[in-house]
Amino acid sequence: MKISVAMCTYFGEEFVKEQLDSILNQSHKVDEIIICDDSSKDNTLTICEEVLKKNDVSYIIKKNKNNLGFIKNFYQCLALCTGDIIFFSDQDDVWKPNKVEKIVQVFNDNADALLVFTDADVVNQNLEGNDSLLNGVSFDRHFLDNTEAEINSLLNDNFVTGATMAIRKELKDIVISNAPCKECPHDYWLAFMAALNKGLYCCEEPLIYYRQHDSNTIGINKKYTFNRLKKLFSSDSQKYLENQYSELRLPVLYGFRRELEKVNNVQYLSIVDQKIKFWKDRENFFGGSLIKNLLVVLRSLMKGEQRKNRNARNAVLMDFVKALALAKKI
């Protein structure tokens, strides 16, 4: 069984050596490392080359002439991988020594497994801390009770983090041959396709140190500092992720719906349409009337809609905060 690692880099010189060292020192050795760099201007690739040329591992380092963005870059990296099992890697985490061994065992024990994701220890830039990543994304093992539960829970919120996951090449072939949703993060789309093909598995053991710092493209459990609150209440909806809401969710859900139309599953289409309606009700939160925004939240609260359409444990509170923050400023 050939093991590939797909790593995307972008201005990663500070932590990338530590990550590569952790990958190369696994109890179950990897066979191939593919690195796609999204036009870094620092020493990221020099460091990668120095580390990899000293080790007995096949590798490719590709530097993009133009910045592709992390979604396109990961798909490009995935397409270059030739392994039977493909692990995804961020540039700034650290793998525990038995990560590959543990995940390969899940694949060996479950012939139908297409994607395996794990827990992680959420740490700061100095690798301090041990908060659970799965707890941070409000994961519940009942999300995986059956395919309908998996689809419903994934349509609510993504709970599969790319830095923890590995896939079979069969899932790679499915995704590469069918154009993925360009608005959807790669890990979210791969998890959805794995669930749709009855191959989503979880190992609840933390197998990486998931490093959080100011340069993360996507982070978790980031505290609302003054600067984040300032962005949340900003009147510029295009500038910050913090003050966007339905704008982030609806394009992804439309992409999932297009995929579900192909399999023509009425039950799943009904589920995704319920999620789309929930978010369309919030489409005019930004710059809308505070009264109207709050009425939307209150009506949903009375119907239990936040609980049905979000996995987050504080979904109602989040809804109220967004309704308030995004309303038209007087």
Side-chain angles (χ1 to χ4, degrees):
M1 179 183 288
K2 184 176 181 179
I3 306 296
S4 295
V5 177
M7 175 189 284
C8 290
T9 59
Y10 184 63
F11 287 91
E13 65 179 7
E14 184 174 5
F15 301 117
V16 72
K17 181 182 185 302
E18 190 174 14
Q19 171 67 314
L20 283 173
D21 285 343
S22 75
I23 293 170
L24 291 165
N25 289 303
Q26 290 291 300
S27 58
H28 187 301
K29 300 301 181 184
V30 305
D31 302 292
E32 170 185 81
I33 298 177
I34 309 297
I35 297 175
C36 289
D37 183 82
D38 214 9
S39 301
S40 296
K41 300 296 189 293
D42 63 356
N43 294 315
T44 299
L45 295 188
T46 300
I47 294 169
C48 291
E49 182 71 37
E50 288 177 352
V51 172
L52 293 173
K53 71 182 181 182
K54 297 176 183 176
N55 287 271
D56 184 24
V57 64
S58 174
Y59 68 92
I60 295 173
I61 297 176
K62 184 180 189 306
K63 183 173 182 178
N64 301 331
K65 292 182 179 179
N66 300 304
N67 186 277
L68 299 180
F70 79 96
I71 298 176
K72 286 184 178 180
N73 199 31
F74 260 111
Y75 282 126
Q76 171 185 246
C77 198
L78 174 60
L80 293 172
C81 292
T82 61
D84 302 296
I85 304 295
I86 301 163
F87 285 74
F88 288 79
S89 171
D90 286 354
Q91 66 185 3
D92 47 11
D93 301 324
V94 172
W95 289 11
K96 296 186 180 183
N98 60 347
K99 170 180 174 169
V100 172
E101 178 184 351
K102 289 277 187 177
I103 292 180
V104 167
Q105 189 61 54
V106 177
F107 281 112
N108 287 338
D109 292 343
N110 300 276
D112 59 340
L114 292 172
L115 184 155
V116 177
F117 66 100
T118 78
D119 201 356
D121 290 328
V122 181
V123 296
N124 64 18
Q125 62 182 17
N126 299 317
L127 301 182
E128 299 166 336
N130 60 353
D131 290 344
S132 163
L133 174 62
L134 289 181
N135 185 61
V137 296
S138 301
F139 174 75
D140 188 304
R141 65 186 60 185
H142 294 300
F143 291 173
L144 306 183
D145 280 349
N146 52 60
T147 303
E148 181 183 347
E150 292 172 4
I151 296 294
N152 183 74
S153 299
L154 280 169
L155 290 174
N156 283 348
D157 292 294
N158 186 27
F159 49 82
V160 177
T161 302
T164 74
M165 76 184 192
I167 67 171
R168 285 195 199 273
K169 64 180 180 65
E170 287 81 2
L171 182 60
K172 166 195 166 182
D173 295 341
I174 291 170
V175 169
I176 296 296
S177 62
N178 296 282
C181 172
K182 63 182 180 180
E183 295 88 3
C184 186
H186 65 285
D187 50 5
Y188 201 179
W189 188 258
L190 285 162
F192 178 76
M193 294 301 292
L196 201 57
N197 288 277
K198 305 183 188 307
L200 185 62
Y201 279 77
C202 179
C203 169
E204 294 187 44
E205 185 175 343
L207 295 178
I208 71 168
Y209 298 104
Y210 188 57
R211 198 189 313 251
Q212 297 295 282
H213 52 86
D214 291 339
S215 301
N216 288 114
T217 301
I218 294 178
I220 187 171
N221 291 344
K222 289 192 174 182
K223 295 180 179 179
Y224 268 101
T225 61
F226 174 77
N227 284 334
R228 288 196 72 206
L229 287 170
K230 185 178 178 181
K231 292 175 183 179
L232 175 62
F233 283 84
S234 169
S235 59
D236 185 352
S237 67
Q238 298 305 311
K239 195 171 183 180
Y240 306 115
L241 288 176
E242 281 85 356
N243 67 342
Q244 296 184 41
Y245 202 30
S246 65
E247 304 95 320
L248 299 176
R249 294 294 301 155
L250 282 171
V252 173
L253 290 171
Y254 290 143
F256 287 150
R257 195 186 197 288
R258 288 192 296 270
E259 195 63 32
L260 290 171
E261 285 174 348
K262 296 178 184 177
V263 299
N264 195 29
N265 187 303
V266 176
Q267 184 180 13
Y268 295 162
L269 284 170
S270 175
I271 293 172
V272 74
D273 285 342
Q274 172 187 309
K275 315 302 179 187
I276 289 172
K277 181 184 182 304
F278 176 83
W279 286 104
K280 282 190 70 67
D281 287 344
R282 286 146 180 79
E283 204 168 18
N284 297 315
F285 266 21
F286 187 84
S289 158
L290 175 59
I291 300 299
K292 288 183 179 179
N293 285 5
L294 291 176
L295 284 174
V296 169
V297 176
L298 287 169
R299 281 196 294 265
S300 285
L301 178 59
M302 294 175 66
K303 297 177 182 177
E305 290 181 342
Q306 288 94 345
R307 179 178 53 80
K308 295 175 184 175
N309 295 286
R310 300 299 308 272
N311 297 333
R313 298 181 181 96
N314 60 345
V316 174
L317 176 60
M318 290 168 60
D319 221 16
F320 272 113
V321 170
K322 291 288 187 177
L324 175 64
L326 304 184
K328 183 177 181 180
K329 311 301 185 290
I330 298 174

